[in-house]
Amino acid sequence: MTDKLTKTGAAVGEPVATGSAPSDAFLDVRDLKIHFPTDDGLVKSVDGLSFQLEKGKTLGIVGESGSGKSVTSLGIMGLHTVGQYGRQKAQISGEIWLNGRDLLSADPDEVRKMRGRDMAMIFQDPLSAMHPYYTVGSQIVEAYRVHHDVDKKTARKRAVELLDRVGIPEPAKRFDNYPHEFSGGMRQRAMIAMALVNNPALLIADEPTTALDVTVQAQILDLMRDLQKEFGSAVVIITHDLGVVAELADDILVMYGGRCVERGPAESVFYEPQHPYTWGLLGSMPRIDRDQTDRLIPVKGNPPSLINIPSGCAFNPRCPYADVPKGGITRTQRPELAPAGDRHFSACHMPQEERTRIWTEEIAPKL
Ligand SMILES: Nc1ncnc2c1ncn2[C@@H]1O[C@H](COP(=O)(O)OP(=O)(O)OP(=O)(O)O)[C@@H](O)[C@H]1O
Ligand code: SF4
Ligand SMILES: [Mg+2]
């Protein structure tokens, strides 16, 4: 704990002013900005994101492709300079408090030591996170031994235990397989085992099931739910699919153009959403009880350019309700997150009664 830590008693999900002491929350992200200078201009991938998460709870982050979900998770892990987009130096500001320590002002060596031990990440594609030339087991052993001064035999026992726990059959035998000898679902399980081997207090799962078929997806999500109960970690799960987080998460945060447009308890965001973009996401969710042609109503238009984010509400160019009168608020004023229910916040200029009416009378009956 640092001497900077004093308690504000802020509730999970409640926006808090930055620059003051952090809340009690285990993970407390404040006004996080991650910008990339490029030849075309400054890409504002994350632009003022704040949220809190308690230990033992799950936060689901949803949003379309390019909304800044992965950049956010890499930023928390201290990995914002790496990844599929190369190594441009990111400009990062704000605060990321993990268990009372601000990761952004901490010594990078310290953050490196915390990675794997205090916080771990499950990536969308396990093949890119696992080394093809080493056996699955040896990679889990290495991940364990980086943080534990134990001999290889003890580490092997731990790795086999974990492989068993995540449902790999014959784990002692499978230990010696290479990643390509595993099926996609098994590789994802192995990656979960690797992430959990040090029992991290924070686990970030970035689209952990998108590459898998539906049945395997369901199995992996069940497994994550069980493991979370067992390990008591704080979990951030990132996905395009609101349905996934509605089942798995305690809280949901909806991202659009690098910012949060809505967040709150999963039940409220799923059943009483308060932002037109969230309505769009719900409308585009596949439904097993509907005909294919019926169920996919994608949000029309394209995600905003993160170099020229529209002024005012970034969703404006795509929003069917952009012209609903907003009591004198001009198009160029940016809506900030405002209370929209119990621990529920939404960034939309429309009066709340109007939003509730549109949701209950016009949108919900069609879903
Ligand atoms: N190093 C970088 N330099 C420039 N732009 C970047 C860099 N890293 C990410 N971006 C941009 O930041 C935006 C957000 O990317 P991010 O990977 O976080 O999206 P995402 O929400 O995870 O999308 P997906 O659902 O497709 O995974 C994208 O427009 C991406 O092009
Ligand atoms: S502020 Fe206006 S444009 Fe933005 S989501 Fe609300 S209604 Fe749509
Ligand atoms: Mg991503």
Side-chain angles (χ1 to χ4, degrees), residues 18-68:
T18 53
S20 57
S23 65
D24 285 342
F26 178 68
L27 174 66
D28 190 349
V29 173
R30 300 172 154 224
D31 200 22
L32 180 65
K33 292 186 180 155
I34 305 179
H35 296 171
F36 297 97
T38 69
D39 293 344
D40 299 326
L42 192 62
V43 180
K44 297 182 175 174
S45 300
V46 180
D47 199 30
L49 187 69
S50 302
F51 62 85
Q52 296 90 44
L53 176 62
E54 300 294 346
K55 231 171 164 176
K57 300 281 182 198
T58 300
L59 171 74
I61 301 186
V62 285
E64 286 167 307
S65 192
S67 56

Side-chain angles (χ1 to χ4, degrees), residues 36 38 43 45 63-72 80 84-86 88 124 206-207 240 306:
F36 297 97
T38 69
V43 180
S45 300
E64 286 167 307
S65 192
S67 56
K69 305 179 300 295
S70 294
V71 172
T72 301
H80 44 274
Q84 55 182 315
Y85 305 103
Q88 293 98 320
Q124 175 173 346
D206 189 359
E207 315 233 15
H240 288 100
L306 297 175

Side-chain angles (χ1 to χ4, degrees), residues 61-331:
I61 301 186
V62 285
E64 286 167 307
S65 192
S67 56
K69 305 179 300 295
S70 294
V71 172
T72 301
S73 44
L74 294 172
I76 296 172
M77 296 289 294
L79 294 170
H80 44 274
T81 51
V82 297
Q84 55 182 315
Y85 305 103
R87 288 181 174 268
Q88 293 98 320
K89 186 134 181 62
Q91 298 171 354
I92 180 160
S93 68
E95 295 160 49
I96 302 173
W97 293 87
L98 183 72
N99 202 12
R101 181 183 304 175
D102 180 16
L103 302 180
L104 286 190
S105 56
D107 177 356
D109 271 350
E110 195 55 33
V111 177
R112 196 174 40 77
K113 279 189 207 143
M114 292 171 76
R115 210 154 44 228
R117 183 188 66 195
D118 300 292
M119 51 187 181
M121 189 154 164
I122 301 170
F123 296 88
Q124 175 173 346
D125 173 15
L127 268 186
S128 65
M130 281 192 175
H131 201 293
Y133 300 149
Y134 295 93
T135 62
V136 169
S138 67
Q139 297 186 55
I140 301 177
V141 160
E142 264 327 292
Y144 190 58
R145 290 185 79 206
V146 168
H147 299 291
H148 292 85
D149 187 16
V150 293
D151 58 35
K152 281 198 169 150
K153 204 171 148 215
T154 312
R156 183 185 173 104
K157 191 165 162 273
R158 168 82 180 157
V160 172
E161 238 173 62
L162 257 296
L163 285 173
D164 185 37
R165 183 59 201 87
V166 298
I168 304 279
E170 299 187 276
K173 226 163 132 191
R174 288 303 205 148
F175 179 99
D176 293 313
N177 282 170
Y178 289 89
H180 71 265
E181 295 176 288
F182 273 28
S183 68
M186 293 235 290
R187 271 198 295 267
Q188 198 54 288
R189 285 171 193 269
M191 187 133 94
I192 295 176
M194 191 151 92
L196 289 176
V197 75
N198 295 304
N199 204 358
L202 173 68
L203 183 65
I204 303 181
D206 189 359
E207 315 233 15
T209 61
T210 12
L212 307 171
D213 71 50
V214 181
T215 325
V216 183
Q217 266 189 28
Q219 289 167 357
I220 299 280
L221 293 172
D222 278 349
L223 171 69
M224 287 198 52
R225 191 181 297 128
D226 291 350
L227 293 171
Q228 204 230 15
K229 274 197 203 118
E230 190 177 321
F231 287 73
S233 326
V235 175
V236 177
I237 181 159
I238 292 172
T239 168
H240 288 100
D241 188 343
L242 250 172
V244 165
V245 287
E247 275 191 40
L248 214 64
D250 298 289
D251 283 11
I252 294 179
L253 185 155
V254 182
M255 269 186 99
Y256 188 78
R259 293 174 65 89
C260 169
V261 293
E262 175 158 18
R263 70 170 186 233
E267 287 246 310
S268 323
V269 174
F270 198 68
Y271 293 109
E272 294 164 357
Q274 287 283 339
H275 195 281
Y277 177 60
T278 317
W279 300 343
L281 287 181
L282 282 164
S284 59
M285 253 176 64
R287 290 257 312 250
I288 34 171
D289 56 338
R290 295 269 176 98
D291 196 1
Q292 179 82 28
T293 47
D294 233 22
R295 58 187 144 113
L296 287 177
I297 330 162
V299 187
K300 290 199 180 79
N302 294 317
S305 148
L306 297 175
I307 295 177
N308 292 307
I309 299 177
S311 60
C313 175
F315 190 52
N316 192 313
R318 304 170 73 185
C319 181
Y321 309 96
D323 295 328
V324 170
K326 313 276 170 20
I329 295 171
T330 63
R331 266 179 118 97

